[in-house]
Amino acid sequence: MRPTTGRLAVLRSPVGASSAVLLVVLVALAVFAPILWGDRAAAIDTDSLQQGPSADHLLGTDQLGRDIFYRVLVATRLTIGLALLATVIGVVTGLVLGSIPSVLPRWAARIVTSAVNIAVAFPGLLLALFFAVIFGTGTIGAVLAIAFAITPSFARLTQTLTASVSGRDFIAAARVCGVGRFRLLTRHVLPNIAEPLVINATLAAGSALTAFAGLSFLGIGVQAPSYDWGRLLGEGLNRIYITPAPALGPAVAVVLAGLAFNLFGEAAASVHRNQQRGKATAPHEPVEDRSEGGLLTVRNLHVTFPGGIRPVRGVSFTVHNGEMIGVVGESGSGKSLTALAVSRLIEHPGRVTADRLEFNGKPVQKTQDRELGTQLAMVFQDPTTSFNPTRRIGGQLAEVSEVHQGLRRRAALGKAVDRLEAVRIPEPERRAKQYPHEFSGGMRQRAMIAMGLMGEPQLVIADEPTTALDVTVQREVLKLLARIRKDRDAAVLLISHDITVVAQTCDRVLVMYAGRIVEELPTDELFTAARHPYTTALLKAVPDLDTDRDAPLAVIPGRPPEPGEIRQGCPFAPRCPLADDQCRTQEPELETFGENHRVACWKSESELAGVR
Amino acid sequence: MSELDFRNVTVRFGHHTAVDDVSLTVPAGQVVGLVGESGSGKSTLAATAVGLVKPTEGEVRADGKVQMVFQDPYSSLDPRMSIGNSIAEAMPRGTNKKAEVARLLELVNLDPGRASSLPARLSGGQRQRVALARALAGDPRVVIADEITSALDVSVQGAVLNLVRDLQRQLGLSMLFISHNLAVVRYVSDRVAVMKTGRIVEEGPAAQVLADPRHEYTRELLAAAPRRHTRLEVS
Ligand SMILES: Nc1ncnc2c1ncn2[C@@H]1O[C@H](COP(=O)(O)OP(=O)(O)O)[C@@H](O)[C@H]1O
Ligand code: SF4
Ligand SMILES: [Mg+2]
C-alpha cells in the first residue's frame, strides 16, 4: 500500500493546522518580542505600581510598575527556549541510553537497561523535583531536572522501537554483509524509528513547558531578575484576590503553548498511524438480478476502501450444495476480501455492495448472526491468531455451541471432543484440555476446522488453509476438507494461490485477477481446456515434480496491478502476449463459453489455442 | 574441494535441540537443496554458516565468503535506504561503488537507473533480485538461499528461480538452497538433503534421492508433493 499523504499531511487536519499556527505564533513571539518590546517590559514606572488592567496596561502592572502584558510576551523566548533546551537534552540522553545497549557488551547493556527500567517507574514530576533539589535552585538546575525527568521514558521508547526494528531481516542481512554495530545503529535502526521519536519529542516539549512553569512558580526555576511565565504566574498569584488579570495572562500563555505542542504531536501521531486512509467514494448502483442462485449466490460484488480503492470489482459466482470450488489468483487479486465479504467480515472503512449476496436464499446482510455462525464456517490461513492463547481448545470449541445452539456446558464439551475426533486429532479428550500453544500448526488448523463443524455448516470457506503448513500436513488438511464435503454434503470454497492444490481437490475453479473472475471452469478441464491467457500462464509457471530441469521455467513478465492502478482496458493486457488495442481500451466481461465455462477475454478460441 | 562444510554441527536453544549433529558438505560450484518441514532446523543451520548463530557443538568451515539471501524480501531491505546504498554497503572498502552497483543491478536484470529508488517502489520479485545483488556484492564463493521464493507469487517465482540458476552457473557459485517445496528444490539442485527434527535423514544426488528415496520421510514428502494430474483420494 502506498501512503496517500505526504509529510505535511498533519497540516490538513483542523487540529493539526490550528496547533501549527499557534506554534508559528509562539516561535515568532520568542524571536521578535524581546527585540520589539524588551524595553517596555523592563520600564519601571513608580507612578503606577500594582495596578489592575487598563487601556495603558492590558494586564496591569507589577510591584515595580512594569507592564505585565509586555512582560508575558517577552517571557515567551525564555519560557520556550528553556523548555526546548530541556527537551533536547532529555531526548538526546534518552536516545543514547536507549540505543547504547545494542553496541555495548552484554553485561553492560543489561545494567543500562535495568537502570532505565527502574527510572521509568518514577513519576516524571517527582524526578524533576528530586533533581531540582540535587542540582540546586536556578535555571540550570531546573533545565537539567526536567531533562532527566524526560530521559527514562525516552530511553524506554527508544529501546522498544529499536527492539522491534532489530528483529527484522534487513538488520540480519546487514550484519551478514559485515556492517558494524555502530553503523547498523545510525544507518538502519535510527532512521526507521525517527518518526515516532520526533512525535514523542513534540509531546515531551509540551510537558517540559508546563513542568518548567511549575518549577519557576514554586520558586526553584528561573530566578530574578530573569522571568518566565511560571515566575510571572507566581507573582500574579499573590494578588489574585485583588486583581486576577496578572495571573491569568501568564496562565493562559502556559496553557495555550502546552496545548499547541501536545495537539500538534497528537495530530502528527494520528497521521503517522493512518497514513493509508483517504476519502470515501460512492458505491455503484445495485441492479435487479433474477438469475438462478444456489447455496451461495454472489452477483456483482464490490468491495471498496476509502481513497477510491476497489480491490473487488464485480465478482459473480454460485456455489451449490455439496460442491467444492477453488479460488486461485496471485496475492492482492481480491480472493480474501471476496471471502470476507461473503462472511460479513469486512470491517470499517471497507464497504461491500452487491446486486445479490445470498446464503441459503436469504440476503447475507439480513441473516442473523446465529444462523450465519452455525451454517457458515470460516477457516483462516493462520490458526495461531484465531484461537485465544489463554483458554483451552475444548472450551473455545464448546463456546460456539453454547452461544449459537444454547447447549449446556457439558453437552457442548462432549460435542467438542466429538468434533476433534472427526478431524482426526488423536486422543481428543486429552487434547481438548490443552491450550493452543500445545498444538502443532497442523493440529491447530484441524482444530480450527473442528470449530467450524461445531455448528452444522452447509458451507466451509477456507482461505489459504494450508499455506502455512508443510506438504505432508497440507495433504492431511486437504483430505479433511474433502471428507467433510463427502460425509456432510457441505459445500467448500477453497482459496489458494497454488493452482496445483486446487487442481487436486476441487470440482470447479475460479481464477481471479485484479479484483475480477477472469475464468471459471471444471477442474478436469484445467490442464486441457483453460482459455484465459492468465490461467494458461499460471499453469506453465508453476514447477512440479515433472518439470523439465534443463529448460528455463516459463515466466509471466511484469506484476499484477495494485487496486489503485487499474485503468481502462483488460487489467492483464500489460503482461499478455496477445494484447491488442481493443484489450488496452476495453475491459472484457466474463462470458459463457460452452458448459460450465466462463472466460473474460476478447480473443476467440482459435487465437487462444495458439498460446496454450 | 568443498566450499562449505558443516561438521557435526549441533545448536541448542535452552533445552531445545534445533540442529542435531549435522554434517553436510556443499561441493564447489554445486547446488545442494535442503528440504524439510518448517521448524526442522533448516534456517538455524543456515544461520550458523553466516555467523548469525553460534553452533553449540561442531564447526562450520568455509573457503571464502558466505552470503545469504533471506525469505521475505519485504523485510530484508531497509525501507529507508535506497537499494543502491543497500547493495553498496555490502561491498569491500575501496571498490568503485557506483559502477559496481550498476553492474550488479544489470546482472540481476534490473535497470541500473533505479539504484536511487527506495524498496517500497519495487515489487516482491524485484526486491528479491536486489537482495540477490546485495549478496553478490560481497563477492562470495558460497550463497545461502533461505526459502527465497516462498514469499513470492508463482508468476514471479519462476523468474527468480531462472535467475538464481543462471547466476550460479555463470559465476560458478556454490549454493545451499533451502526450501520446503520439493518441486522447486528439484528444479535448481544438483544434490538434495532432507532434514527432519534437526537431523539430516537422507542426502545424495538429486536424481537419485527423488527417484529412489531411501528414507521413509523422503518418501512421504514425495508422495505429498502436489502433482498436477493426480487427484487427492479421500479414504
Ligand atoms: N483495509 C484495506 N484497505 C485498503 N486496501 C485493502 C485493505 N485490505 C485489503 N486491501 C487491498 O485489496 C487487495 C486485495 O486483497 P485480498 O483480498 O487480501 O487479496 P488476496 O486474498 O487475493 O491476496 C490488495 O491489494 C490489498 O492491498
Ligand atoms: S483480453 Fe486481451 S489482454 Fe486481456 S487476456 Fe484477453 S487477450 Fe490478453
Ligand atoms: Mg489472501
Side-chain angles (χ1 to χ4, degrees):
Chain A
M1 272 182 278
R2 287 147 292 120
T4 52
T5 44
R7 252 167 213 264
L8 293 176
V10 58
L11 299 181
R12 272 179 227 140
S13 74
V15 173
S18 32
S19 50
V21 168
L22 258 178
L23 282 182
V24 171
V25 171
L26 280 175
V27 170
L29 275 178
V31 175
F32 298 112
I35 305 170
L36 295 176
W37 305 301
D39 294 341
R40 287 171 85 165
I44 296 175
D45 181 358
T46 41
D47 292 340
S48 47
L49 302 180
Q50 305 233 11
Q51 286 187 345
S54 64
D56 283 345
H57 306 290
L58 280 178
L59 295 175
T61 58
D62 67 4
Q63 65 266 52
L64 292 179
R66 294 173 295 201
D67 185 292
I68 292 179
F69 178 67
Y70 287 113
R71 285 174 74 78
V72 170
L73 293 184
V74 170
T76 312
R77 180 185 283 183
L78 192 63
T79 312
I80 305 265
L82 291 177
L84 287 184
L85 181 65
T87 311
V88 168
I89 298 177
V91 167
V92 169
T93 323
L95 211 58
V96 170
L97 284 181
S99 53
I100 208 165
S102 68
V103 288
L104 285 180
R106 193 164 275 190
W107 61 269
R110 239 183 240 149
I111 294 179
V112 174
T113 314
S114 11
V116 167
N117 286 344
I118 293 171
V120 166
F122 287 97
L125 206 61
L126 207 66
L127 276 183
L129 286 173
F130 170 71
F131 284 123
V133 173
I134 293 188
F135 295 126
T137 50
T139 310
I140 296 176
V143 167
L144 290 179
I146 288 171
F148 292 142
I150 295 176
T151 300
S153 63
F154 248 83
R156 167 65 79 78
L157 182 68
T158 311
Q159 271 172 14
T160 347
L161 290 171
T162 307
S164 74
V165 174
S166 300
R168 312 260 308 269
D169 280 347
F170 67 83
I171 299 289
R175 277 174 63 193
V176 172
C177 291
V179 175
R181 284 187 194 186
F182 188 70
R183 191 180 151 88
L184 214 54
L185 182 66
T186 54
R187 292 301 304 272
H188 292 288
V189 177
L190 291 182
N192 279 295
I193 62 175
E195 212 160 312
L197 282 180
V198 168
I199 289 168
N200 277 284
T202 316
L203 293 172
S207 334
L209 191 130
T210 36
F212 217 109
L215 290 187
S216 293
F217 172 78
L218 292 174
I220 48 181
V222 171
Q223 301 296 316
S226 307
Y227 56 97
D228 66 347
W229 291 340
R231 255 184 64 91
L232 292 176
L233 182 63
E235 288 169 4
L237 216 58
N238 296 333
R239 328 160 22 206
I240 191 145
Y241 296 113
I242 308 164
T243 162
L248 275 181
V252 167
V254 169
V255 170
L256 275 183
L259 267 182
F261 279 107
N262 278 319
L263 290 181
F264 189 77
E266 288 295 347
S270 87
V271 167
H272 179 63
R273 278 193 297 267
N274 329 317
Q275 288 249 309
Q276 274 84 17
R277 305 231 172 119
K279 287 185 242 77
T281 49
H284 77 288
E285 288 297 313
V287 180
E288 188 86 1
D289 173 280
R290 299 197 179 280
S291 60
E292 198 189 328
L295 173 66
L296 176 67
T297 312
V298 180
R299 295 291 178 270
N300 199 14
L301 174 76
H302 290 249
V303 179
T304 46
F305 285 97
I309 296 170
R310 189 177 296 240
V312 176
R313 309 177 298 129
V315 162
S316 303
F317 62 94
T318 308
V319 181
H320 298 283
N321 279 312
E323 260 192 321
M324 189 146 174
I325 308 287
V327 183
V328 292
E330 291 172 77
S331 60
S333 57
K335 306 182 297 294
S336 298
L337 288 177
T338 300
L340 292 174
V342 167
S343 341
R344 235 170 42 190
L345 289 174
I346 300 275
E347 285 182 9
H348 181 81
R351 291 200 53 178
V352 177
T353 59
D355 295 348
R356 273 170 86 185
L357 182 55
E358 292 167 6
F359 179 59
N360 240 339
K362 257 194 267 175
V364 167
Q365 299 298 346
K366 293 194 188 122
T367 312
Q368 294 204 328
D369 278 352
R370 153 189 294 222
E371 212 176 311
L372 212 58
T374 52
Q375 301 187 346
L376 191 151
M378 187 91 193
V379 181
F380 295 100
Q381 170 171 348
D382 184 3
T384 348
T385 51
S386 314
F387 280 110
N388 177 345
T390 63
R391 297 189 46 209
R392 295 172 206 274
I393 294 273
Q396 298 193 47
L397 261 64
E399 194 174 36
V400 179
S401 290
E402 287 175 67
V403 173
H404 291 306
Q405 296 157 324
L407 246 58
R408 289 288 179 87
R409 182 84 187 160
R410 277 187 75 100
L413 271 175
K415 191 168 184 181
V417 172
D418 178 69
R419 295 304 190 261
L420 286 173
E421 187 163 21
V423 297
R424 304 221 169 148
I425 289 198
E427 301 179 79
E429 285 190 32
R430 186 174 70 84
R431 289 293 186 173
K433 296 196 187 98
Q434 291 188 327
Y435 291 93
H437 72 90
E438 295 174 79
F439 275 45
S440 70
M443 278 211 297
R444 241 179 267 142
Q445 193 58 288
R446 273 180 278 173
M448 188 75 219
I449 297 174
M451 190 187 275
L453 295 182
M454 289 301 287
E456 293 299 331
Q458 291 176 284
L459 175 64
V460 178
I461 300 182
D463 188 358
E464 308 265 6
T466 61
T467 304
L469 306 177
D470 300 300
V471 273
T472 45
V473 188
Q474 162 173 315
R475 191 167 62 154
E476 285 306 310
V477 172
L478 291 175
K479 273 188 176 172
L480 175 63
L481 286 173
R483 212 179 43 242
I484 288 170
R485 170 263 188 114
K486 199 169 148 207
D487 296 352
R488 295 166 189 259
D489 201 31
V492 178
L493 190 69
L494 174 67
I495 298 175
S496 176
H497 67 279
D498 188 343
I499 204 162
T500 43
V501 163
V502 165
Q504 278 193 306
T505 41
C506 297
D507 309 317
R508 260 191 303 144
V509 188
L510 307 174
V511 182
M512 281 192 76
Y513 190 79
R516 288 206 164 179
I517 295 178
V518 295
E519 180 154 21
E520 171 178 355
L521 78 171
T523 316
D524 321 342
E525 299 173 19
L526 190 56
F527 293 94
T528 51
R531 282 213 184 107
H532 196 282
Y534 178 62
T535 316
T536 48
L538 261 191
L539 288 170
K540 278 193 282 191
V542 187
D544 67 5
L545 290 177
D546 307 314
T547 304
D548 180 2
R549 289 194 47 190
D550 299 317
L553 288 172
V555 299
I556 310 176
R559 63 177 174 86
E562 301 275 333
E565 295 170 350
I566 298 168
R567 304 277 174 267
Q568 57 171 5
C570 171
F572 190 57
R575 310 171 76 185
C576 182
L578 298 178
D580 60 15
D581 284 345
Q582 184 186 27
C583 300
R584 280 182 280 267
T585 49
Q586 285 172 281
E587 182 161 11
E589 291 293 326
L590 189 61
E591 295 194 22
T592 307
F593 263 82
E595 212 184 338
N596 296 326
H597 198 161
R598 295 189 297 162
V599 183
C601 174
W602 290 123
K603 297 297 171 184
S604 68
E605 162 126 49
S606 55
E607 286 169 289
L608 293 176
V611 293
R612 191 179 295 144
Chain B
M1 196 195 75
S2 73
E3 300 272 2
L4 180 65
D5 211 0
F6 297 89
R7 293 188 188 171
N8 304 96
V9 172
T10 296
V11 180
R12 279 190 210 102
F13 299 114
H15 290 294
H16 175 65
T17 306
V19 175
D20 192 358
D21 193 23
V22 165
S23 295
L24 180 67
T25 299
V26 181
Q30 293 208 12
V31 183
V32 174
L34 183 59
V35 279
E37 56 188 17
S38 61
S40 61
K42 305 185 297 293
S43 294
T44 311
L45 185 68
T48 61
V50 288
L52 287 173
V53 167
K54 254 176 89 162
T56 319
E57 282 159 36
E59 58 172 353
V60 187
R61 292 216 180 157
D63 299 332
K65 263 192 233 120
V66 184
Q67 284 293 350
M68 178 145 159
V69 184
F70 293 80
Q71 169 170 356
D72 184 359
Y74 290 89
S75 88
S76 70
L77 294 172
D78 186 341
R80 304 279 163 144
M81 192 179 263
S82 74
I83 59 172
N85 281 344
S86 277
I87 296 173
E89 199 174 49
M91 291 173 189
R93 258 170 236 276
T95 351
N96 176 354
K97 297 202 167 172
K98 207 166 164 210
E100 189 61 9
V101 166
R103 184 185 73 81
L104 286 166
L105 284 176
E106 202 102 56
L107 193 65
V108 297
N109 303 335
L110 281 176
D111 175 9
R114 304 194 70 164
S116 55
S117 307
L118 288 177
R121 314 216 51 151
L122 273 58
S123 69
Q126 289 174 326
R127 289 179 205 214
Q128 205 55 299
R129 288 161 200 269
V130 173
L132 259 168
R134 175 178 57 189
L136 297 176
D139 198 19
R141 294 302 314 144
V142 184
V143 170
I144 298 180
D146 188 1
E147 298 272 11
I148 57 169
T149 60
S150 314
L152 302 179
D153 263 307
V154 283
S155 74
V156 190
Q157 165 178 294
V160 171
L161 288 178
N162 286 342
L163 177 67
V164 162
R165 257 176 41 146
D166 287 351
L167 287 176
Q168 187 267 330
R169 287 180 188 168
Q170 195 181 329
L171 306 175
L173 295 170
S174 313
M175 220 168 168
L176 183 63
F177 187 95
I178 302 174
S179 175
H180 69 279
N181 185 332
L182 211 54
V184 167
V185 164
R186 171 186 168 275
Y187 184 71
V188 294
S189 309
D190 302 301
R191 299 179 71 82
V192 170
V194 182
M195 199 161 177
K196 185 179 185 344
T197 55
R199 311 188 73 111
I200 302 273
V201 296
E202 179 158 6
E203 199 270 341
Q208 186 200 315
V209 171
L210 297 175
D212 182 20
R214 296 289 153 87
H215 195 275
E216 180 58 29
Y217 181 64
T218 315
R219 267 179 239 140
E220 247 179 73
L221 274 183
L222 271 166
R227 278 195 137 100
R228 43 185 69 188
H229 297 295
T230 51
R231 277 189 72 85
L232 197 75
E233 290 314 322
V234 185
S235 45

